[in-house]
Amino acid sequence: MAKKIFIAATMQNDGKTTVSLGLISVLKKHFNKIGFIKPIGQRYLIEQGYKVDEDSVLIEEVFGIKCNIKDMSPVAIEKGFTERYIQKGPEEDYSKLIKDSFERVAKNNDLVIIEGTGHAGVGSVFDLSNAAVAKLLGANVILISSGGIGRPIDEVMLNKPLFDKEGVKIAGIIVNKVLPEKYDKVARLVRMGLEKKGLSVLGVLPYQKILDMPTVRDIKEELNLELLLGGENLDLAVEKILVGAMNVKEAIKFIQNNSLMIIPGDRDDMIRAISEIHTSKLKRCCRISGMVLSGGLIPVGRTRRILEKSKIPVLISEDDTYSVASAVHHILVKLKPQDTAKIKIIVDIVEKNIDIDNVLASLT
């Protein structure tokens, strides 16, 4: 029978997929065949005619995992699912779906990584919280929390009672996204604090800004924007987001390398200045990752020609400048199979900072 471990978190976006991906890579040295399942998914793609959680698709593509794609993501929570469940009850036996999928994945593998969704209580509304699913599959839990000293301890202790209630063992804690300049202090104190609560710390992972930086492609896809120019450079990372609404002379003082410029589409002066900064035609020279032109306005004539020569990726939005800036700011950066540089960083971080021997001892 395959070994298994459930990867949970104290909040959404604490880094479950990051840790799962890193662990699979490192544990491949110890297991010939590793399977993956995300029993309940909230962000799904259509793959082979099925609604499949995007994290399952990521893991399958990165590692070439040979499982039935639907078994890797048995329950996809689509729009209206929760309302229908509350009003009419379950349309299927979701517990059986999850258990049957898990057993098929486990049958052909030596280890199965089970990834939860959100905090311990997510899914309670349809009677399948992370804690309940971990119990259903008989798995110990590795619980991930983020940054600081007090915050991860508080959040772990907030989530722990739900796992305790279901009789699920927390095998250990991983604290993610710790600022590098505070790493030594946080690692020492958070270990002391959690050990006093009877919990083992399996690892403390340093924050890497690049992992939270979207690419221009991410912004295009998440906001469903039209590509005008520069499609060959869509995978440039965005480090800073700036709105080009003031006069040109003042605006260029704020521009840095890897900036995304959000500009009203009729600001020819600003568009030309940014293009020339990018192509080193002005005294101030910076690499611009991309532009989003708001208002559905498309440059023509000389401005268009300058943009084309710059090779800057240019996206068009029908929305006003403020709405575009707000939407870009709230984008959730999700890892994709083509993010090879980010994946390499993740594997390196996990290998260096997680106690793999203790992880191996926690498998059931």
Side-chain angles (χ1 to χ4, degrees):
M1 184 67 181
K3 298 281 188 180
K4 55 189 177 291
I5 192 70
F6 192 104
I7 309 296
T10 58
M11 292 181 68
Q12 286 186 311
N13 308 319
D14 272 345
K16 294 182 304 297
T17 304
T18 297
V19 171
S20 294
L21 188 148
L23 282 177
I24 290 172
S25 181
V26 174
L27 290 171
K28 283 174 78 71
K29 299 173 184 176
H30 300 269
F31 295 91
N32 289 326
K33 294 192 288 184
I34 298 179
F36 177 87
I37 179 172
K38 187 161 185 175
I40 297 173
Q42 295 176 305
R43 289 171 56 101
Y44 62 84
L45 307 170
I46 303 298
E47 290 284 324
Q48 301 171 27
Y50 297 110
K51 297 183 182 75
V52 181
D53 184 84
E54 62 185 6
D55 293 334
S56 295
V57 176
L58 169 71
I59 297 295
E60 182 203 35
E61 292 190 17
V62 170
F63 294 107
I65 289 177
K66 302 299 182 186
C67 299
N68 183 308
I69 190 66
K70 184 56 181 170
D71 284 335
M72 294 173 70
S73 183
V75 179
I77 307 303
E78 60 189 353
K79 188 175 182 180
F81 181 99
T82 301
E83 291 179 23
R84 293 196 305 272
Y85 190 95
I86 292 172
Q87 292 171 347
K88 300 178 181 179
E91 297 171 356
E92 297 182 72
D93 186 341
Y94 300 116
S95 293
K96 185 175 187 304
L97 272 179
I98 290 169
K99 197 160 187 179
D100 288 350
S101 288
F102 171 78
E103 287 175 355
R104 285 191 290 269
V105 171
K107 182 179 179 181
N108 297 312
N109 288 288
D110 305 310
L111 169 68
V112 180
I113 302 291
I114 309 161
E115 185 183 314
T117 178
H119 57 71
V122 169
S124 297
V125 66
F126 41 82
D127 303 309
L128 283 171
S129 69
N130 281 298
V133 173
K135 178 183 179 181
L136 175 70
L137 301 180
N140 289 343
V141 166
I142 292 175
L143 188 58
I144 303 165
S145 192
S146 285
I149 298 168
R151 176 185 166 189
I153 295 173
D154 290 347
E155 289 178 354
V156 165
M157 297 314 294
L158 184 65
N159 279 257
K160 185 175 181 292
L162 285 169
F163 291 111
D164 290 345
K165 182 183 175 211
E166 297 290 351
V168 174
K169 179 184 176 182
I170 296 178
I173 311 298
I174 294 173
V175 180
N176 193 20
K177 302 182 182 180
V178 175
L179 293 175
E181 63 269 25
K182 297 183 178 180
Y183 183 87
D184 290 341
K185 178 181 177 181
V186 170
R188 177 172 55 84
L189 291 175
V190 83
R191 286 179 190 278
M192 288 176 61
L194 286 167
E195 284 169 5
K196 286 181 178 180
K197 305 289 185 185
L199 294 164
S200 169
V201 175
L202 298 174
V204 178
L205 309 183
Y207 176 68
Q208 297 287 322
K209 185 177 181 179
I210 190 173
L211 299 181
D212 282 338
M213 288 166 54
T215 63
V216 181
R217 186 185 303 278
D218 291 332
I219 292 166
K220 176 186 179 297
E221 293 177 353
E222 286 291 320
L223 303 186
N224 196 27
L225 301 181
E226 176 189 346
L227 174 66
L228 178 65
L229 297 166
E232 67 272 27
N233 292 316
L234 280 174
D235 292 315
L236 292 174
V238 173
E239 189 170 356
K240 189 176 180 71
I241 299 163
L242 294 170
V243 175
M246 59 179 72
N247 70 66
V248 171
K249 184 178 178 181
E250 295 300 318
I252 61 176
K253 296 176 183 177
F254 295 93
I255 297 170
Q256 300 176 7
N257 280 327
N258 307 318
S259 291
L260 176 80
M261 300 299 304
I262 301 170
I263 306 172
D266 58 357
R267 283 291 307 272
D268 290 66
D269 59 338
M270 183 68 72
I271 294 168
R272 288 198 296 263
I274 298 304
S275 300
E276 289 172 348
I277 285 171
H278 179 74
T279 54
S280 308
K281 290 186 177 179
L282 296 182
K283 286 184 180 180
R284 182 168 174 76
C285 174
C286 289
R287 189 181 80 163
I288 305 301
S289 292
M291 282 190 207
V292 181
L293 304 183
S294 60
L297 301 168
I298 298 175
V300 295
R302 179 170 173 251
T303 303
R304 170 81 177 231
R305 290 193 295 274
I306 291 171
L307 263 181
E308 288 174 349
K309 288 180 181 177
S310 76
K311 305 295 185 184
I312 296 172
V314 180
L315 308 176
I316 303 295
S317 172
E318 298 292 329
D319 291 331
D320 63 89
T321 305
Y322 174 81
S323 297
V324 174
S326 179
V328 171
H329 178 73
H330 287 98
I331 280 176
L332 175 62
V333 179
K334 297 289 286 184
L335 202 62
K336 294 182 172 62
Q338 62 265 29
D339 294 331
T340 52
K342 289 184 177 182
I343 291 168
K344 187 175 184 302
I345 290 168
I346 289 165
V347 172
D348 186 59
I349 290 171
V350 167
E351 196 162 24
K352 289 179 178 176
N353 296 284
I354 290 182
D355 186 337
I356 297 301
D357 288 339
N358 275 342
V359 170
L360 290 168
S362 71
L363 305 176
T364 55

